């Protein structure tokens, strides 16, 4: 079936798509987090999708080694992030705490060595591989700290002076309660915790369970991290309120726009399959809605990239290519959720495609130019005048997806050079931009006008579907 998508007027073209990500003509907020940590989206690995509830020092170090040895680190994948379940969780009364009310590292999972905390030991090992290390926390203060009325480091205040009766989210053992940030000692408590993380060598901190009511927590963590002696990326999770997007952009370096990409559908609580096509397809509308709020210095996060373990991911080869393409057009963090110690060679080749990675790393969010129930077209304009366009087939049958240079806002030219960033094939066109796309697949073009024939490019030829 052939279909020309509904067109967005050409006026909504290159001028609207170009942005600096600092202060844009279409109203994007200026970045204010202030750590100067990241202008480009983060590339790396997270423990949650595959390792899930069982992170250990040995497992994390093995994944870090695989990240380096696979060559992915040379392509920019340098973050190794430990998600939930790194701390002691004795029961529903909340995470265990030290004398200052901060979570205690689970010594069975992350044993201390040489007098150093177990998390510091792993962070040092990751750093020795030339990589960066990330950790996880949730808003509030543990109920255990409140019951013990633990001291707030460096002050005369205690946990009961700052705690509220409000329940905060914690997906491990629960037991977190709110903090009244109008009370003396509240900011000092977060400062103490952030300082500990900095001393452990943390480069990235994810705050999970963030809701609109947690804006003061985010503000406190943002301020605390900024005042450590270490640049630490601040990431917020998950399903954040788009009406508060400007606030998330002001206070953090990245923010999750929706729920988990994982399907939690494996037999006997297996991690596999990691996700489903429906989970990936749900991101098309998120990318379209959140595009105005991302840019260099602060990025919309569409959750883990489930590429690396072949069919175990739950996605077909075309669907995996689609996920990486959509995330890259959206300038999302590309944080792998897969088992790096058992990488599929074809998936590894996808992840090392520098032409596609460059689309992600420009930090520019693509706009949805057109779409219907079966097809989507997303496009971004680059500062050099190129346009990058993704032609997505969201249907279960192969079809043509098409647009045009005029619709994309490209200036008139005798010809247009189309570089397929997956197949690396160069073709030329008089203005029609189209491809026969496999089910749940994509063709990704970099396009620019030219006054002359482009090498040995084929005229007006659509590339064969990739499989």
């Amino acid at each position: 079936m052939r279909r020309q998508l509904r067109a967005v007027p050409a006026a909504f073209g290159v001028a609207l798509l170009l942005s600096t990500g600092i202060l844009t003509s279409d109203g994007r907020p200026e970045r204010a987090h202030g750590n100067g940590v990241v202008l480009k989206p983060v590339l790396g690995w997270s423990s949650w999708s595959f390792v899930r509830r069982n992170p250990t020092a040995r497992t994390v170090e093995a994944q870090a080694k695989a990240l380096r040895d696979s060559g992915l680190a040379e392509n920019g994948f340098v973050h190794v992030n430990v998600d939930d379940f790194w701390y002691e969780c004795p029961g529903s009364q909340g995470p265990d705490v030290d004398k200052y009310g901060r979570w205690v590292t689970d010594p069975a999972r992350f044993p201390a060595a040489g007098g150093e905390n177990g998390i510091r030991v792993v962070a040092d090992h990751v750093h020795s591989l030339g990589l960066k290390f990330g950790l996880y926390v949730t808003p509030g203060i543990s109920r255990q700290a409140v019951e013990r009325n633990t001291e707030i480091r460096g002050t005369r205040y205690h946990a009961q002076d700052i705690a509220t009766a409000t329940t905060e989210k914690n997906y491990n053992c629960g037991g977190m309660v709110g903090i009244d940030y109008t009370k003396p000692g509240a900011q000092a408590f977060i400062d103490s915790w952030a300082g500990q993380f900095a001393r452990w060598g943390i480069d990235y901190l994810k705050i999970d369970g963030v809701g609109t009511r947690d804006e003061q927590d985010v503000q406190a963590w943002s301020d605390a991290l900024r005042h450590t002696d270490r640049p630490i990326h601040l990431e917020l999770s998950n399903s954040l309120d788009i009406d508060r997007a400007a606030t998330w952009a002001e206070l953090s370096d990245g923010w999750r726009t929706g729920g988990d990409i994982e399907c939690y559908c494996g037999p006997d609580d297996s991690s596999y399959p990691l996700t489903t096509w429906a989970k990936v397809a749900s991101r098309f509308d998120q990318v379209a809605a959140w595009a105005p709020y991302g840019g260099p210095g602060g990025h919309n996060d569409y959750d883990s990239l489930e590429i690396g373990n072949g069919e175990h991911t739950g996605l077909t080869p075309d669907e995996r290519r689609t996920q990486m393409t959509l995330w890259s057009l959206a300038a999302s963090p590309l944080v792998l959720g897969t088992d790096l110690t058992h990488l599929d060679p074809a998936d590894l080749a996808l992840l090392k495609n520098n032409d596609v990675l460059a689309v992600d790393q420009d930090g520019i969010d693509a706009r949805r130019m057109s779409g219907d129930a079966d097809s989507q077209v997303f496009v971004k304009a680059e500062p050099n005048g190129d346009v990058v366009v993704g032609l997505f087939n969201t249907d279960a049958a192969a079809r043509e997806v098409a647009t045009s240079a005029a619709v994309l806002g490209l200036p008139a030219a005798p010809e247009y050079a189309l570089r397929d960033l997956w197949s690396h094939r160069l073709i030329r066109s008089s203005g029609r931009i189209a491809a026969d796309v496999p089910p749940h697949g994509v063709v990704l073009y970099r396009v620019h006008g030219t006054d002359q024939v482009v090498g040995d490019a084929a005229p007006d030829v659509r590339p064969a579907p990739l499989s």
Side-chain angles (χ1 to χ4, degrees):
M1 180 177 182
R2 295 170 179 263
R3 178 171 300 183
Q4 177 78 30
L5 295 180
R6 297 188 298 272
V8 175
F12 190 78
V14 175
L16 181 60
L17 294 173
L18 283 170
S19 66
T20 65
I22 306 300
L23 184 63
T24 67
S25 61
D26 58 351
R28 291 194 220 176
E30 187 176 21
R31 307 296 168 211
H33 177 44
N35 276 350
V37 175
V38 57
L39 291 177
K40 299 178 180 180
V42 163
L43 306 180
W45 174 85
S46 166
S47 65
W48 183 250
S49 293
F50 174 71
V51 176
R52 208 159 290 180
R53 297 176 178 85
N54 301 296
T56 65
R58 179 176 294 181
T59 298
V60 173
E61 289 175 0
Q63 296 291 330
K65 182 177 184 297
L67 191 66
R68 183 198 64 179
D69 292 351
S70 66
L72 283 168
E74 296 177 9
N75 294 90
F77 290 86
V78 296
H79 284 264
V80 176
N81 298 335
V82 175
D83 207 89
D84 204 353
F85 290 81
W86 62 268
Y87 49 91
E88 285 195 312
C89 190
S92 60
Q93 68 268 40
D96 198 5
V97 296
D98 66 11
K99 67 178 182 178
Y100 297 124
R102 305 167 302 195
W103 294 354
V104 171
T105 301
D106 186 338
R109 296 172 184 262
F110 297 91
E116 293 288 357
N117 180 279
I119 291 295
R120 174 62 187 264
V121 173
V122 175
D124 285 349
H125 180 81
V126 170
H127 292 149
S128 75
L129 300 176
L131 306 173
K132 297 183 178 182
F133 185 77
L135 204 59
Y136 170 104
V137 74
T138 57
I141 185 171
S142 174
R143 188 173 284 115
Q144 289 211 49
V146 180
E147 290 175 355
R148 298 182 202 172
N149 200 25
T150 52
E151 176 185 350
I152 296 173
R153 187 175 187 269
T155 77
R156 59 186 178 87
Y157 301 105
H158 296 76
Q160 291 178 8
D161 295 324
I162 65 171
T164 73
T166 303
T167 299
E168 289 284 0
K169 289 183 180 179
N170 180 279
Y171 303 105
N172 185 345
C173 48
M176 294 293 286
V177 297
I179 295 173
D180 183 348
Y181 286 97
T182 68
K183 297 293 183 66
Q187 182 64 53
F189 171 68
I190 301 299
D191 290 346
S192 168
W193 209 350
Q196 181 185 64
F197 287 160
R199 290 190 296 276
W200 286 354
I202 304 306
D203 304 298
Y204 175 110
L205 183 65
K206 171 183 172 180
I207 307 180
D208 202 2
V210 173
T212 300
R213 73 179 184 181
D214 297 311
E215 285 185 22
Q216 288 185 313
D217 287 88
V218 175
Q219 178 74 67
W221 276 103
S222 181
D223 290 344
L225 294 175
R226 188 183 303 117
H227 290 101
T228 67
D229 59 359
R230 184 178 188 85
I232 300 174
H233 176 110
L234 179 59
E235 192 80 6
L236 308 180
S237 180
N238 60 23
S239 298
L240 276 91
D241 182 359
I242 195 169
D243 291 336
R244 306 299 298 163
T247 298
W248 313 134
E250 178 184 358
L251 298 177
S252 70
D253 301 300
W255 45 90
R256 281 270 304 280
T257 63
D260 289 355
I261 195 72
E262 296 83 9
C263 65
Y264 306 114
C265 57
D268 301 320
D269 204 31
S270 170
S271 296
Y272 293 141
L274 298 174
T275 190
T276 62
W277 167 249
K279 287 281 190 176
V280 172
S282 71
R283 266 54 181 183
F284 283 104
D285 287 345
Q286 288 181 34
V287 170
W290 283 84
Y293 305 105
H299 304 105
N300 297 312
D301 184 346
Y302 300 104
D303 206 7
S304 295
L305 193 65
E306 307 296 15
I307 299 174
N309 299 144
E311 64 182 10
H312 293 301
T313 64
L315 303 174
T316 68
D318 287 313
E319 290 166 352
R320 298 197 289 278
R321 191 178 292 107
T322 287
Q323 191 195 12
M324 186 164 172
T325 301
L326 182 61
W327 268 233
S328 296
L329 281 165
S332 173
L334 303 182
V335 179
L336 302 172
T338 41
D339 178 8
L340 304 183
T341 65
H342 293 87
L343 283 169
D344 174 81
D347 280 6
L348 184 59
L350 295 182
L351 296 171
K352 289 186 172 185
N353 186 319
N354 285 323
D355 288 341
V356 177
L357 289 174
V359 175
D360 178 75
Q361 293 292 286
D362 64 21
I364 300 169
D365 289 56
R367 269 43 172 191
R368 181 161 60 186
M369 300 299 289
S370 53
D372 56 28
D374 303 320
S375 308
Q376 308 261 341
V377 173
F378 280 81
V379 62
K380 67 166 79 178
E382 304 280 3
N384 67 357
D386 286 357
V387 162
V388 181
V389 57
L391 306 176
F392 295 91
N393 174 13
T394 56
D395 193 31
R399 66 179 61 248
E400 184 194 66
V401 183
T403 184
S404 70
V407 168
L408 300 183
L410 281 162
E415 283 189 336
Y416 297 89
L418 282 63
R419 171 73 68 179
D420 187 317
L421 300 186
W422 284 115
S423 72
H424 307 294
R425 186 179 183 189
L426 181 65
I427 65 175
R428 67 176 188 267
S429 168
S430 59
R432 191 168 186 268
I433 298 170
D436 293 325
V437 186
H440 299 172
V442 65
V443 170
L444 181 64
Y445 287 133
R446 180 177 290 275
V447 186
H448 66 268
T450 179
D451 293 328
Q452 56 188 354
V453 174
V454 185
D456 58 356
D460 292 316
V461 175
R462 292 187 300 276
L466 297 167
S467 59

